[in-house]
Amino acid sequence: MKHSPNAAQLFTSLNLPEALTQNLASMAYHNMTDIQAAALPPALAGQDLIAQAKTGSGKTAAFAIPLLLKINPRDFGAQALILCPTRELSTQVANEIRKLARYQQNIKVVTLCGGQSIGPQIGSLEHGAHIIVGTPGRIKDHLRKKTLDISRVNTVVLDEADRMLDMGFMEDLQGIVAQTPSQRQTLLFSATYPDDIEALSRQFQQQPQRVSVESHHDDAVIEQQFYLCEKSQRFESVYKLLNAYAPDSAILFCNTKQYVRDVCKYLNDRGVSAAALHGDMEQRDRDQVFVQFKQQSCRFLVATDVAARGLDVDELPMVINVELPRDPAIYVHRVGRTGRAGKEGFALSLCVDSERYKLDAIADYQQREIEFEVIEQVADTLADLSPSVSTLCIAGGRKQKVRPGDILGALTGEAGIDGKAVGKINVLDYVAYVAVENKLADKALGRLINGKIKGRKFKVRKL
């Protein structure tokens, strides 16, 4: 069914347990998003679901609320399995579920992803887990080692199923889902509907209810502009647009890993603070780039679609399509990362003559006329594109019991740094990152190197 937004629908209209409704209210979840209003009633009724929804639409709550209601807290066997394409998305989904699950005690969520040591994951599973969130490759590893039992799972969620298929996970998904009971609820979420999503649904689902929310973007929220340039001008045109618009931050999308590297090198050579994000990078390096971008010590991220999955930035003023994708649904997905929560966003796209067919496809998909300018019409200016903060990397994280407050205390206490000069603090398992205003970054670095955090010395470096 096609769901069109109507008057705000309240979570209180769903007849949920009082404790859950109160917890949702404490998270400022009052009105359902379009995908939640469309997906929750059939999902709560136990139906299988194919839902078309993009990142940032509130889809996690749309599948997490129904699966949480079926969890038996006294049974520490795996009762729900959520498969995601990347570690970043898995972590984000697991964190959201933990918040939603606060209304009941002792619900254990375990994240199983590659790029991390398998030993601690096995240890976590030995203590039991109600909900498993992870990537297909690592879930398959645990099933092979018999460290994970999914024979009693009652809900399977395939999140961003189109991306998992793009990444070649079809066989892994088939092997994993085959080990769950045939009498289960299967919820499939996808931003696009290629043919293989249909095939996946036929294989895994029983009479699924289809829900789809409007995926076109309102020009009042996202301004889309297209610029025609020569193929040989593409890098120079990106540089020109960044200087002309000077956004606080932006994601620059390319279609291939090599093009990401080339664009990033071009910008870096011109003194622009840009970082590359693509699938060939080590997980540690990807984590570092994610954090620097979120902390804004790196203003511009040059990325492929697959690598950018799971990167959820609340306030992203601009997206630039260095290359237009072949699939107009991917264009819509990229553009949907800006202009969230009612804020205005810009989506700028470069196009060469031989790619006019892509513009036509986007126009058909969005059911709108597309106008474009030639890049020469953009004024030549030089803006300050440098970041205002630097990121300090501390060789200690959650596993060393380091908390954000400890880092803030070390900087503002003994180090004497003004708290206003300290930005975002991100603590991961074995490493922590803190943003500090540029003018005080070296002072903060020196104080942390020579001082202590929580009474202990840690190695610290400036990225």
Side-chain angles (χ1 to χ4, degrees), residues 203-223:
Q203 211 170 333
F204 295 161
Q205 297 186 297
Q206 295 175 356
Q207 298 175 312
Q209 174 82 37
R210 288 172 171 273
V211 296
S212 167
V213 297
E214 191 59 59
S215 61
H216 306 154
H217 300 300
D218 183 348
D219 273 346
V221 179
I222 300 174
E223 188 174 331

Side-chain angles (χ1 to χ4, degrees), residues 195-396:
D195 292 343
D196 40 8
I197 287 291
E198 299 288 343
L200 199 66
S201 170
R202 281 196 299 274
Q203 211 170 333
F204 295 161
Q205 297 186 297
Q206 295 175 356
Q207 298 175 312
Q209 174 82 37
R210 288 172 171 273
V211 296
S212 167
V213 297
E214 191 59 59
S215 61
H216 306 154
H217 300 300
D218 183 348
D219 273 346
V221 179
I222 300 174
E223 188 174 331
Q224 302 176 60
Q225 295 191 357
F226 298 84
Y227 294 96
L228 207 57
C229 69
E230 296 291 331
K231 195 170 184 179
S232 59
Q233 286 181 305
R234 215 189 289 253
F235 293 178
E236 187 188 321
S237 300
V238 172
Y239 183 64
K240 188 174 191 173
L241 290 174
L242 287 175
N243 278 290
Y245 286 89
D248 289 337
S249 64
I251 298 179
L252 284 57
F253 281 105
C254 303
N255 295 342
T256 66
K257 291 177 271 199
Q258 188 54 51
Y259 217 71
V260 164
R261 294 186 195 102
D262 294 345
V263 171
C264 202
K265 183 179 186 310
Y266 180 92
L267 293 174
N268 290 160
D269 288 348
R270 274 146 196 78
V272 178
S273 152
L277 189 69
H278 55 75
D280 284 351
M281 293 167 66
E282 292 284 331
Q283 189 64 51
R284 183 184 61 234
D285 297 330
R286 288 171 57 165
D287 285 344
Q288 187 170 296
V289 168
F290 270 126
V291 170
Q292 283 181 274
F293 186 63
K294 285 185 175 181
Q295 293 189 345
Q296 295 200 311
S297 62
C298 166
R299 281 173 63 173
F300 308 116
L301 196 60
V302 189
T304 56
D305 292 290
V306 169
R309 300 304 275 209
L311 172 63
D312 204 32
V313 183
D314 293 332
E315 293 182 28
L316 182 66
M318 184 175 286
V319 164
I320 298 179
N321 289 296
V322 181
E323 300 177 280
L324 286 172
R326 283 182 180 279
D327 183 349
I330 290 174
Y331 168 84
V332 169
H333 201 70
R334 288 178 180 181
V335 169
R337 290 174 170 276
T338 184
R340 288 196 189 165
K343 290 190 170 62
E344 287 191 355
F346 276 93
L348 311 181
S349 299
L350 291 170
C351 179
V352 303
D353 243 343
S354 61
E355 294 176 319
R356 295 277 190 108
Y357 70 95
K358 292 181 180 178
L359 281 183
D360 294 341
I362 290 166
D364 287 347
Y365 191 82
Q366 293 194 321
Q367 298 175 327
R368 64 190 281 263
E369 288 278 320
I370 282 183
E371 294 178 3
F372 55 84
E373 295 177 28
V374 291
I375 195 69
E376 287 76 14
Q377 288 178 272
V378 178
D380 282 311
T381 54
L382 273 180
D384 179 5
L385 298 176
S386 58
S388 59
V389 298
S390 297
T391 292
L392 306 182
C393 175
I394 300 157

Side-chain angles (χ1 to χ4, degrees), residues 93-144:
V93 166
N95 287 340
E96 179 79 359
I97 291 174
R98 287 186 187 105
K99 288 180 199 164
L100 289 165
R102 282 192 298 229
Y103 76 96
Q104 36 187 340
Q105 288 186 320
N106 302 325
I107 298 294
K108 188 173 172 190
V109 183
V110 170
T111 314
L112 304 177
C113 300
Q116 295 172 315
S117 171
I118 202 165
Q121 294 178 355
I122 292 170
S124 286
L125 290 170
E126 281 171 352
H127 293 108
H130 299 104
I131 300 166
I132 306 293
V133 186
T135 51
R138 182 49 62 93
I139 300 270
K140 202 173 126 192
D141 291 342
H142 281 285
L143 292 171
R144 194 172 56 243

Side-chain angles (χ1 to χ4, degrees), residues 6-32:
N6 47 24
Q9 289 174 274
L10 300 170
F11 278 100
T12 47
S13 68
L14 289 174
N15 197 23
L16 299 171
E18 180 63 25
L20 173 52
T21 306
Q22 285 176 358
N23 184 44
L24 288 167
S26 76
M27 294 169 68
Y29 280 28
H30 303 293
N31 297 332
M32 289 185 270

Side-chain angles (χ1 to χ4, degrees), residues 139-152:
I139 300 270
K140 202 173 126 192
D141 291 342
H142 281 285
L143 292 171
R144 194 172 56 243
K145 288 177 182 290
K146 299 202 173 350
T147 47
L148 173 64
D149 177 8
I150 54 172
S151 64
R152 289 187 294 127

